[in-house]
Amino acid sequence: MKKHFGGPAICLDRDDINTDEIIPAKYLTEVTKEALTPYILEDLKLEGFDPRGQKLKNSKVVVTGGNFGCGSSREHAPWVFEVNDIHTVIAESYARIFRQNMFNCGMLAIELPKADIAAIIALGRDAELEVAVDLPSRKIEASAAGKSLSFSFDISPFDAALVDAGGWVEFADSRY
Amino acid sequence: MGKTIAQKIFDAHLRDEPFPGAKVLDLDRVFCHEITTPVAIADLEWRQKDRVFDPSKIKAVVDHVTPSKDSKTATQAKILRDWARRHEIKDFFDVGHNGVCHALFPEKGFVRPGFTIIMGDSHTCTHGAFGAFAAGVGTTDLEVGILKGVCAFREPMTIRINIEGTLPEGVVAKDVILHIIGKLGVNGATDRVLEIRGSVVDAMSMDARMTLCNMAIEAGGTCGICLPDMTTVDYLWEFISDDYASKEAALEDYSKWHSDADAHYEQTLTFDVTALEPMVTYGYKPDCVKPVSEMKGTRVDQVYIGTCTNGRIEDLRQAAAVLKGRTVNENVRGIVSPATPKIFKDAMAEGIIQIFMDAGFCVTNPTCGACLGMSNGVLAEGEVAAATSNRNFNGRMGKGGMVHLMSPAVAAATAVAGVICAPADL
């Protein structure tokens, strides 16, 4: 089933946030996605960021820097976002396996140039940030404190088909 | 225009191209372990599609936490074990026969030049040492691989890495790959295949080539890949001698995968290693690399020798050569995990285990163990480890711990001194 995208956003203003920071290896002993819910971003040390805080709890979008999700192949990283209702990540770039895992789960890993990411992060610095995603027209609108910014993005036709299908299992099962 | 080895493997395995640039490949191998496979199995059951595309092409092992340490890890192992039995997956390796997947599966002869291989483990790139396209994937890719025998990839762009010159005494594959990652950066090879070749690679054993390819992912690479040669054939000969009249015939067949002379590379980088020193990481990213000489004197609490990067017999020999007649510093805990039962047995036969134990090392069973802080050898907050593994992320070996990556010989010297140093410094 196709997921819902966009909503209140949290900014993680750093490059190279890795899968161990997103979900530490000690929780990989869980065999259901739901069991991961409380451990989201538990080991991420970032000024002003609280992994147990209300801001993360309310968020449905993550905005971050380059090479997001580097490290392990663990799909527990996209899953921990999924079970916390975060279906959209907007980053300057991704590690390959993390990006593929996002689309394979029917979620969105959007890439924007560094300057656009910086503009969104600046916009959300002292105000509640909201990101609306218009998937058919490949546009996002970031708004905070009455101001808003629009950006175009692109995703490959294959990745778009995975999002439409709800994930790679659904796509592959109907085709192979 | 000629083709690279990766392009040749893609062409030979292309099942479908549903959209331009999206290549769906037939798989020769789907490797499975107990951490990332159980959720795929559970999802297949939930979808009422609990099937496997070909049990002879699926290989499974319990390796990350073994023997199981608690109820949860016991459940993970049980899910994998029951599934392997249910689907008659003959090559399933459990307690007593298991070891680190990326050391065990090559040793069993499961990897061949020209193969396509996936596993729910980022260090699957290791198997590229045999001239295979081997990529780490998530659980959903693994699930589709198990069910349908296919996986989708983007067109592989290749960075050619030439390693030339002469390796100085005591400088090994681990130092070379750390140096290369330091130059490429942690995302310098994202979505790229690293074709690792040159006279230095030609002279390397399969163990050393696996160390090189193992860390391709630390530069973001999809796969590290070496061209198959007589060293590859020699390693595989016990498994392929029925298929070929001679080693020369096998080599000729495998040569069909070699990159063409006029193949297109996105980038070609040449490293002369003649003046390379033993290398070590600092900080929390594997591209934070310095010569050991610049980190000399850094205190460590634990030394870990093993893992899919450096837990093979050649690695243990190099460490033992340093440890022979010496003892581990009183402030250091030394742990060694031979990567497979065969490596363990060979190390015993060669007297290497004796050397480790005489030096004061704790010898564990073959397992991923301390590398990812999931079972034994976890660091306490503020502790520092010297490790032959591949990742130094914050918290990797235990919350609040620091990991310095290095070669087995440097790790052994560090264990003796209690501070980071090269064997020559002892």
Side-chain angles (χ1 to χ4, degrees), chain B residues 308-329:
Chain B
C308 58
T309 320
N310 280 128
R312 300 184 184 82
I313 190 70
E314 194 175 288
D315 304 312
L316 303 189
R317 283 183 193 134
Q318 289 165 8
V322 175
L323 290 172
K324 192 169 185 178
R326 295 187 166 114
T327 52
V328 171
N329 182 279

PDB file of all heavy atoms in Angstrom, chain B residues 308-329:
ATOM      1  N   CYS B 308      35.499 -10.447   9.689  1.00  0.00           N
ATOM      2  CA  CYS B 308      35.486 -10.752   8.251  1.00  0.00           C
ATOM      3  C   CYS B 308      36.579 -10.002   7.514  1.00  0.00           C
ATOM      4  O   CYS B 308      36.908 -10.333   6.374  1.00  0.00           O
ATOM      5  CB  CYS B 308      34.115 -10.469   7.644  1.00  0.00           C
ATOM      6  SG  CYS B 308      33.488  -8.784   7.819  1.00  0.00           S
ATOM      7  N   THR B 309      37.170  -9.002   8.143  1.00  0.00           N
ATOM      8  CA  THR B 309      38.277  -8.273   7.513  1.00  0.00           C
ATOM      9  C   THR B 309      39.594  -9.008   7.721  1.00  0.00           C
ATOM     10  O   THR B 309      40.373  -9.190   6.783  1.00  0.00           O
ATOM     11  CB  THR B 309      38.419  -6.858   8.126  1.00  0.00           C
ATOM     12  OG1 THR B 309      37.124  -6.313   8.339  1.00  0.00           O
ATOM     13  CG2 THR B 309      39.211  -5.940   7.217  1.00  0.00           C
ATOM     14  N   ASN B 310      39.861  -9.418   8.937  1.00  0.00           N
ATOM     15  CA  ASN B 310      41.201  -9.921   9.303  1.00  0.00           C
ATOM     16  C   ASN B 310      41.146 -11.068  10.307  1.00  0.00           C
ATOM     17  O   ASN B 310      41.917 -11.079  11.280  1.00  0.00           O
ATOM     18  CB  ASN B 310      42.042  -8.784   9.916  1.00  0.00           C
ATOM     19  CG  ASN B 310      42.654  -7.859   8.879  1.00  0.00           C
ATOM     20  OD1 ASN B 310      42.517  -6.650   8.952  1.00  0.00           O
ATOM     21  ND2 ASN B 310      43.334  -8.426   7.890  1.00  0.00           N
ATOM     22  N   GLY B 311      40.280 -12.047  10.077  1.00  0.00           N
ATOM     23  CA  GLY B 311      40.233 -13.197  10.991  1.00  0.00           C
ATOM     24  C   GLY B 311      40.675 -14.480  10.313  1.00  0.00           C
ATOM     25  O   GLY B 311      40.375 -15.582  10.785  1.00  0.00           O
ATOM     26  N   ARG B 312      41.370 -14.340   9.168  1.00  0.00           N
ATOM     27  CA  ARG B 312      41.774 -15.528   8.403  1.00  0.00           C
ATOM     28  C   ARG B 312      43.168 -15.990   8.821  1.00  0.00           C
ATOM     29  O   ARG B 312      43.878 -15.286   9.551  1.00  0.00           O
ATOM     30  CB  ARG B 312      41.702 -15.227   6.907  1.00  0.00           C
ATOM     31  CG  ARG B 312      40.285 -14.851   6.479  1.00  0.00           C
ATOM     32  CD  ARG B 312      40.105 -14.640   4.981  1.00  0.00           C
ATOM     33  NE  ARG B 312      38.737 -14.198   4.711  1.00  0.00           N
ATOM     34  CZ  ARG B 312      38.325 -12.934   4.839  1.00  0.00           C
ATOM     35  NH1 ARG B 312      39.168 -11.991   5.203  1.00  0.00           N
ATOM     36  NH2 ARG B 312      37.061 -12.624   4.612  1.00  0.00           N
ATOM     37  N   ILE B 313      43.569 -17.160   8.336  1.00  0.00           N
ATOM     38  CA  ILE B 313      44.794 -17.787   8.840  1.00  0.00           C
ATOM     39  C   ILE B 313      46.015 -16.908   8.634  1.00  0.00           C
ATOM     40  O   ILE B 313      46.862 -16.787   9.528  1.00  0.00           O
ATOM     41  CB  ILE B 313      44.992 -19.214   8.236  1.00  0.00           C
ATOM     42  CG1 ILE B 313      46.133 -19.944   8.942  1.00  0.00           C
ATOM     43  CG2 ILE B 313      45.220 -19.185   6.738  1.00  0.00           C
ATOM     44  CD1 ILE B 313      45.832 -20.342  10.364  1.00  0.00           C
ATOM     45  N   GLU B 314      46.089 -16.267   7.467  1.00  0.00           N
ATOM     46  CA  GLU B 314      47.243 -15.405   7.192  1.00  0.00           C
ATOM     47  C   GLU B 314      47.315 -14.257   8.214  1.00  0.00           C
ATOM     48  O   GLU B 314      48.400 -13.870   8.655  1.00  0.00           O
ATOM     49  CB  GLU B 314      47.073 -14.844   5.780  1.00  0.00           C
ATOM     50  CG  GLU B 314      48.281 -14.207   5.192  1.00  0.00           C
ATOM     51  CD  GLU B 314      48.014 -13.799   3.739  1.00  0.00           C
ATOM     52  OE1 GLU B 314      47.923 -14.701   2.877  1.00  0.00           O
ATOM     53  OE2 GLU B 314      47.859 -12.588   3.486  1.00  0.00           O
ATOM     54  N   ASP B 315      46.137 -13.732   8.582  1.00  0.00           N
ATOM     55  CA  ASP B 315      46.081 -12.650   9.576  1.00  0.00           C
ATOM     56  C   ASP B 315      46.577 -13.141  10.939  1.00  0.00           C
ATOM     57  O   ASP B 315      47.315 -12.438  11.632  1.00  0.00           O
ATOM     58  CB  ASP B 315      44.638 -12.146   9.713  1.00  0.00           C
ATOM     59  CG  ASP B 315      44.065 -11.693   8.380  1.00  0.00           C
ATOM     60  OD1 ASP B 315      44.758 -10.945   7.677  1.00  0.00           O
ATOM     61  OD2 ASP B 315      42.943 -12.105   8.039  1.00  0.00           O
ATOM     62  N   LEU B 316      46.133 -14.346  11.314  1.00  0.00           N
ATOM     63  CA  LEU B 316      46.533 -14.888  12.612  1.00  0.00           C
ATOM     64  C   LEU B 316      48.035 -15.176  12.635  1.00  0.00           C
ATOM     65  O   LEU B 316      48.707 -14.975  13.651  1.00  0.00           O
ATOM     66  CB  LEU B 316      45.736 -16.161  12.941  1.00  0.00           C
ATOM     67  CG  LEU B 316      44.208 -16.022  12.960  1.00  0.00           C
ATOM     68  CD1 LEU B 316      43.561 -17.292  13.521  1.00  0.00           C
ATOM     69  CD2 LEU B 316      43.748 -14.819  13.770  1.00  0.00           C
ATOM     70  N   ARG B 317      48.546 -15.640  11.480  1.00  0.00           N
ATOM     71  CA  ARG B 317      50.003 -15.883  11.390  1.00  0.00           C
ATOM     72  C   ARG B 317      50.777 -14.583  11.613  1.00  0.00           C
ATOM     73  O   ARG B 317      51.775 -14.561  12.338  1.00  0.00           O
ATOM     74  CB  ARG B 317      50.367 -16.430  10.001  1.00  0.00           C
ATOM     75  CG  ARG B 317      50.036 -17.883   9.805  1.00  0.00           C
ATOM     76  CD  ARG B 317      50.499 -18.351   8.412  1.00  0.00           C
ATOM     77  NE  ARG B 317      49.910 -19.637   8.101  1.00  0.00           N
ATOM     78  CZ  ARG B 317      49.337 -19.946   6.927  1.00  0.00           C
ATOM     79  NH1 ARG B 317      49.307 -19.054   5.953  1.00  0.00           N
ATOM     80  NH2 ARG B 317      48.813 -21.148   6.733  1.00  0.00           N
ATOM     81  N   GLN B 318      50.309 -13.509  10.975  1.00  0.00           N
ATOM     82  CA  GLN B 318      51.016 -12.221  11.099  1.00  0.00           C
ATOM     83  C   GLN B 318      51.001 -11.717  12.548  1.00  0.00           C
ATOM     84  O   GLN B 318      51.997 -11.200  13.049  1.00  0.00           O
ATOM     85  CB  GLN B 318      50.395 -11.174  10.167  1.00  0.00           C
ATOM     86  CG  GLN B 318      50.684 -11.456   8.690  1.00  0.00           C
ATOM     87  CD  GLN B 318      49.790 -10.649   7.750  1.00  0.00           C
ATOM     88  OE1 GLN B 318      49.054  -9.774   8.178  1.00  0.00           O
ATOM     89  NE2 GLN B 318      49.865 -10.973   6.471  1.00  0.00           N
ATOM     90  N   ALA B 319      49.860 -11.893  13.204  1.00  0.00           N
ATOM     91  CA  ALA B 319      49.765 -11.457  14.611  1.00  0.00           C
ATOM     92  C   ALA B 319      50.649 -12.335  15.497  1.00  0.00           C
ATOM     93  O   ALA B 319      51.364 -11.835  16.379  1.00  0.00           O
ATOM     94  CB  ALA B 319      48.314 -11.499  15.070  1.00  0.00           C
ATOM     95  N   ALA B 320      50.607 -13.644  15.240  1.00  0.00           N
ATOM     96  CA  ALA B 320      51.371 -14.582  16.079  1.00  0.00           C
ATOM     97  C   ALA B 320      52.871 -14.350  15.936  1.00  0.00           C
ATOM     98  O   ALA B 320      53.631 -14.519  16.906  1.00  0.00           O
ATOM     99  CB  ALA B 320      51.004 -16.026  15.716  1.00  0.00           C
ATOM    100  N   ALA B 321      53.309 -13.961  14.750  1.00  0.00           N
ATOM    101  CA  ALA B 321      54.736 -13.699  14.535  1.00  0.00           C
ATOM    102  C   ALA B 321      55.219 -12.579  15.457  1.00  0.00           C
ATOM    103  O   ALA B 321      56.363 -12.584  15.914  1.00  0.00           O
ATOM    104  CB  ALA B 321      54.985 -13.333  13.071  1.00  0.00           C
ATOM    105  N   VAL B 322      54.328 -11.627  15.731  1.00  0.00           N
ATOM    106  CA  VAL B 322      54.672 -10.518  16.633  1.00  0.00           C
ATOM    107  C   VAL B 322      54.584 -10.966  18.102  1.00  0.00           C
ATOM    108  O   VAL B 322      55.400 -10.591  18.940  1.00  0.00           O
ATOM    109  CB  VAL B 322      53.738  -9.309  16.387  1.00  0.00           C
ATOM    110  CG1 VAL B 322      54.001  -8.193  17.392  1.00  0.00           C
ATOM    111  CG2 VAL B 322      53.883  -8.804  14.954  1.00  0.00           C
ATOM    112  N   LEU B 323      53.572 -11.807  18.390  1.00  0.00           N
ATOM    113  CA  LEU B 323      53.298 -12.175  19.785  1.00  0.00           C
ATOM    114  C   LEU B 323      54.244 -13.244  20.330  1.00  0.00           C
ATOM    115  O   LEU B 323      54.393 -13.381  21.550  1.00  0.00           O
ATOM    116  CB  LEU B 323      51.857 -12.695  19.911  1.00  0.00           C
ATOM    117  CG  LEU B 323      50.750 -11.652  19.745  1.00  0.00           C
ATOM    118  CD1 LEU B 323      49.398 -12.340  19.704  1.00  0.00           C
ATOM    119  CD2 LEU B 323      50.792 -10.606  20.866  1.00  0.00           C
ATOM    120  N   LYS B 324      54.862 -14.002  19.447  1.00  0.00           N
ATOM    121  CA  LYS B 324      55.694 -15.129  19.875  1.00  0.00           C
ATOM    122  C   LYS B 324      56.759 -14.673  20.880  1.00  0.00           C
ATOM    123  O   LYS B 324      57.549 -13.763  20.614  1.00  0.00           O
ATOM    124  CB  LYS B 324      56.362 -15.762  18.656  1.00  0.00           C
ATOM    125  CG  LYS B 324      56.992 -17.096  18.981  1.00  0.00           C
ATOM    126  CD  LYS B 324      57.414 -17.861  17.754  1.00  0.00           C
ATOM    127  CE  LYS B 324      57.905 -19.224  18.217  1.00  0.00           C
ATOM    128  NZ  LYS B 324      58.286 -20.072  17.124  1.00  0.00           N
ATOM    129  N   GLY B 325      56.719 -15.313  22.050  1.00  0.00           N
ATOM    130  CA  GLY B 325      57.705 -14.984  23.086  1.00  0.00           C
ATOM    131  C   GLY B 325      57.403 -13.693  23.838  1.00  0.00           C
ATOM    132  O   GLY B 325      58.218 -13.244  24.652  1.00  0.00           O
ATOM    133  N   ARG B 326      56.265 -13.093  23.574  1.00  0.00           N
ATOM    134  CA  ARG B 326      55.904 -11.843  24.262  1.00  0.00           C
ATOM    135  C   ARG B 326      54.577 -12.030  24.998  1.00  0.00           C
ATOM    136  O   ARG B 326      53.853 -12.986  24.756  1.00  0.00           O
ATOM    137  CB  ARG B 326      55.772 -10.701  23.248  1.00  0.00           C
ATOM    138  CG  ARG B 326      57.072 -10.337  22.553  1.00  0.00           C
ATOM    139  CD  ARG B 326      56.859  -9.094  21.700  1.00  0.00           C
ATOM    140  NE  ARG B 326      58.120  -8.513  21.272  1.00  0.00           N
ATOM    141  CZ  ARG B 326      58.518  -8.476  19.998  1.00  0.00           C
ATOM    142  NH1 ARG B 326      57.758  -8.969  19.040  1.00  0.00           N
ATOM    143  NH2 ARG B 326      59.682  -7.928  19.687  1.00  0.00           N
ATOM    144  N   THR B 327      54.258 -11.094  25.856  1.00  0.00           N
ATOM    145  CA  THR B 327      52.984 -11.167  26.565  1.00  0.00           C
ATOM    146  C   THR B 327      52.212  -9.856  26.444  1.00  0.00           C
ATOM    147  O   THR B 327      52.792  -8.789  26.253  1.00  0.00           O
ATOM    148  CB  THR B 327      53.196 -11.458  28.076  1.00  0.00           C
ATOM    149  OG1 THR B 327      54.129 -10.508  28.579  1.00  0.00           O
ATOM    150  CG2 THR B 327      53.717 -12.862  28.295  1.00  0.00           C
ATOM    151  N   VAL B 328      50.896 -10.001  26.568  1.00  0.00           N
ATOM    152  CA  VAL B 328      49.994  -8.856  26.482  1.00  0.00           C
ATOM    153  C   VAL B 328      50.223  -7.943  27.693  1.00  0.00           C
ATOM    154  O   VAL B 328      50.383  -8.417  28.817  1.00  0.00           O
ATOM    155  CB  VAL B 328      48.529  -9.362  26.445  1.00  0.00           C
ATOM    156  CG1 VAL B 328      47.539  -8.213  26.582  1.00  0.00           C
ATOM    157  CG2 VAL B 328      48.266 -10.128  25.150  1.00  0.00           C
ATOM    158  N   ASN B 329      50.241  -6.651  27.442  1.00  0.00           N
ATOM    159  CA  ASN B 329      50.414  -5.654  28.502  1.00  0.00           C
ATOM    160  C   ASN B 329      49.364  -5.845  29.604  1.00  0.00           C
ATOM    161  O   ASN B 329      48.212  -6.174  29.327  1.00  0.00           O
ATOM    162  CB  ASN B 329      50.292  -4.253  27.879  1.00  0.00           C
ATOM    163  CG  ASN B 329      50.515  -3.151  28.890  1.00  0.00           C
ATOM    164  OD1 ASN B 329      49.617  -2.802  29.644  1.00  0.00           O
ATOM    165  ND2 ASN B 329      51.731  -2.620  28.918  1.00  0.00           N
TER     166      ASN B 329
END
